[in-house]
Structure formats: structure tokens, C-alpha cells
Amino acid sequence: MVSRYFDTDAVCAVQSLRGIVVQMHRSHDLELFPEYTVTQMLFKDVKNAAELRKMAVNGEIKGALINPSMIVDAFQILVAANKAAHLHDVGKMKTRSLYSEIIFNLSPTNNISEAFKRFGISDSDNAVCIVLVHNKEETLNVDDIVSKVDGQQIDVDQVSGLTDAAQIKKLYKVAPMEERCGSLLDAVVCRMATKDVA
């Protein structure tokens, strides 16, 4: 499953002598925008969501802070990031920054405040997915971001364990019949990709 969406080389695992301390993040180069790399980090048992939100607003964390309960799979975030990179390059973003555009693109509707309410983190959240978009040649200091989160970092592939499938089906209006011929991820990505089509 890792090789499906991510470069396996980008998985970072650090081992210590007293046990294994694993810090995992996933990076993926956008094929249509080769100058961009998207890095995702996932945390659970987060105790400082309010502080993280404030840091993001103040520019201390340059990334999108996403509520993982609304994410079916890491691929969903890559779709949103790819669309955000395209809109950024052509100057047609609907929000003020690339990171807010990623959050907005996760939503099935064109309501920006609703997108932030559903997909951004709230002060009481106990899990967060941090998404960074950076230049391929740029050195990314993942440890700096990780040190700001008071929580346990887990593998991005574990996002489905934090997913609220019932809430996602309700928000994206996924009918049971639709799930018989495709996956929940298929339904979500289809709605994300076509929300701007009239």
C-alpha cells in the first residue's frame, strides 16, 4: 500500500539503542507539478490542538492542519494538494494561501468557512494531519514540526483508523448503492474533483 501513493524512500524511521522510536512522514512529488513535494505527517493523542492552530495562523507552522477524522486515505490529501498547486500556479485560488486552499479542496462544497469547520482542526481535536508543500530542492526540517506537536506521531497509512466513515458518507452524500460499485475513497475523490463543474 505504501508504494501506491508514496515514495518508499521518503519514510523516515529513527531507531535508538533503548528501543525503537519511530518518526514517520510520507513525501510525494506531484507528477504534474514536479517542483512541488507534498509531505504528510499524522499524529494522534494530541493535547495542544489549540496551540497548533494558533501557530499555523501566526505562520509558525507553514502547513495545512487537517482533521484526520474526515480523511479516508492519504490519497485524498494528495488530490487536494495537487488541485491547490494547480490553482496557485494559474492564480485562481479561492483562499489566501496554498495551505488554506488544500483544506478548501477537501470539501465537497464551495463554502470556504464550512470547509475550515469540517476539515481544519478545532481546539478540542486530539488528532491532526499536517500537510506541507515545499520545493523539491528545499531541505525540510520535519523534526522542527514534530517537536511542536504534543502527541504521538503515527504512520500516515494509519489514517483510516481515525476516520469517521459515517460523518464522511453524510457530508459527501454517499449512497449505499454507490459503495457497492466503488469504494468510499472513490466517491470522495470524485466529488472533490468535480465540485467546480457546473
Side-chain angles (χ1 to χ4, degrees):
M1 178 95 162
V2 170
S3 61
R4 184 169 147 202
Y5 305 122
F6 298 104
D7 300 328
T8 52
D9 303 353
V11 177
C12 175
V14 179
Q15 295 184 355
S16 72
L17 296 174
R18 295 187 184 162
I20 297 177
V21 177
V22 179
Q23 297 177 343
M24 295 185 190
H25 65 275
R26 305 287 178 170
S27 293
H28 182 81
D29 295 335
L30 296 178
E31 288 180 27
L32 297 176
F33 306 96
E35 68 273 19
Y36 291 116
T37 297
V38 177
T39 298
Q40 299 181 46
M41 294 176 273
L42 183 62
F43 300 86
K44 68 177 187 176
D45 302 326
V46 174
K47 296 172 185 66
N48 65 334
E51 184 182 339
L52 292 172
R53 236 173 65 131
K54 188 175 182 178
M55 283 190 262
V57 169
N58 294 336
E60 296 170 50
I61 295 178
K62 290 181 174 39
L65 277 57
I66 297 171
N67 176 356
S69 71
M70 299 303 291
I71 303 300
V72 179
D73 187 275
F75 181 70
Q76 182 181 350
I77 293 172
L78 289 176
V79 171
N82 190 68
K83 187 173 181 181
H86 167 71
L87 294 171
H88 180 266
D89 280 0
V90 298
K92 295 198 174 188
M93 292 194 312
K94 294 183 176 142
T95 65
R96 295 182 188 171
S97 76
L98 183 63
Y99 296 117
S100 59
E101 196 71 17
I102 291 170
I103 294 170
F104 174 68
N105 287 327
L106 288 166
S107 177
T109 72
N110 283 310
N111 186 321
I112 294 171
S113 61
E114 186 70 20
F116 278 94
K117 181 179 162 189
R118 300 269 187 204
F119 294 93
I121 65 166
S122 68
D123 291 351
S124 61
D125 284 344
N126 62 5
V128 63
C129 181
I130 300 177
V131 180
L132 311 168
V133 180
H134 48 96
N135 190 295
K136 192 188 275 188
E137 285 80 36
E138 184 181 336
T139 302
L140 182 66
N141 190 351
V142 174
D143 293 334
D144 181 52
I145 305 259
V146 171
S147 70
K148 293 177 180 174
V149 181
D150 183 7
Q152 179 187 354
Q153 187 176 14
I154 59 175
D155 191 331
V156 172
D157 285 342
Q158 295 180 24
V159 72
S160 61
L162 303 172
T163 300
D164 185 343
Q167 193 67 19
I168 290 171
K169 289 175 189 178
K170 181 179 176 182
L171 178 66
Y172 286 96
K173 298 178 178 149
V174 179
M177 183 176 278
E178 188 174 359
E179 284 189 273
R180 288 189 209 129
C181 62
S183 69
L184 179 57
L185 177 62
D186 293 338
V188 166
V189 169
C190 180
R191 284 161 176 78
M192 286 170 52
T194 60
K195 80 173 179 179
D196 294 327
V197 179

